[in-house]
Amino acid sequence: MVRYAEPGTVEWVESDGGPLIAVPETVLPFWSGADGDDLASDYDRACEIDTAFGLLPVGDRTALVLGDEPAATAYLPEHGTLVRWYAADTEAELLAGARDALTTADWTDERHWNVPGPVVLFDSAWPGTAPARTDTLRITLAAGHYAVRSAVRPGPEIWAGLVHLRRLDEA
């Protein structure tokens, strides 16, 4: 796999060309990726998401698909935000621009996602049980309901996608 994001401050996940997906750990075995005997695989369903994000049923839960384009993606837990690397010379520039954009972004409408706990972000072409899958990111989320919204931080030199996860049922 070719890596576009450089090693640095945060861990980046990349795909081989398809969308990334965040599947709850509890239902990972139910994600078949591009495998399967059906006319439309789970991967095909994920590829139908042509917006910044979408939700797909997996087992008795729902996974978050990062559509739009297969950009390297990292999670900033202190901001509850997935950052998608569309264009920047360095990781430091991208992360600084993304953090600045969190307060000024033009966010999309929210969708709600019920999360049973930690999720695993990976290339949606892989089955959830693939032992050889190495490009993954485990995201520790508390069980609960989350509002999900997205924005793009466009610019001539720094261009980042943002997918913000905000827990709705915090005490």
Side-chain angles (χ1 to χ4, degrees):
M1 171 181 291
V2 175
R3 294 204 58 88
Y4 295 100
E6 61 203 40
T9 307
V10 297
E11 187 176 344
W12 295 92
V13 173
E14 297 181 0
S15 83
D16 288 328
L20 294 173
I21 188 165
V23 177
E25 280 184 331
T26 59
V27 294
L28 272 172
F30 295 102
W31 182 259
S32 65
D35 296 343
D37 298 327
D38 296 335
L39 294 175
S41 68
D42 284 343
Y43 175 73
D44 292 329
R45 293 188 311 131
C47 288
E48 290 176 5
I49 305 293
D50 61 357
T51 55
F53 71 91
L55 301 172
L56 281 181
V58 177
D60 64 350
R61 298 294 178 178
T62 305
L64 177 69
V65 177
L66 302 179
D68 196 22
E69 63 177 79
T73 302
Y75 182 66
L76 305 179
E78 68 276 17
H79 300 290
T81 302
L82 293 156
V83 176
R84 318 226 38 230
W85 190 324
Y86 295 145
D89 288 335
T90 68
E91 178 184 78
E93 288 176 345
L94 181 83
L95 292 176
R99 287 180 176 115
D100 290 344
L102 289 172
T103 57
T104 60
D106 184 16
W107 297 100
T108 61
D109 292 335
E110 293 182 343
R111 297 197 52 205
H112 292 188
W113 184 28
N114 185 19
V115 178
V119 299
V120 179
L121 182 69
F122 59 97
D123 185 331
S124 61
W126 286 96
T129 57
R133 189 185 68 236
T134 58
D135 203 10
T136 65
L137 176 61
R138 184 177 189 268
I139 300 172
T140 303
L141 296 176
H145 298 286
Y146 287 78
V148 183
R149 62 187 183 162
S150 67
V152 173
R153 192 261 188 218
E157 296 176 20
I158 300 171
W159 183 33
L162 306 170
V163 178
H164 183 242
L165 310 173
R166 180 175 49 88
R167 189 151 174 230
L168 296 172
D169 49 4
E170 288 184 294

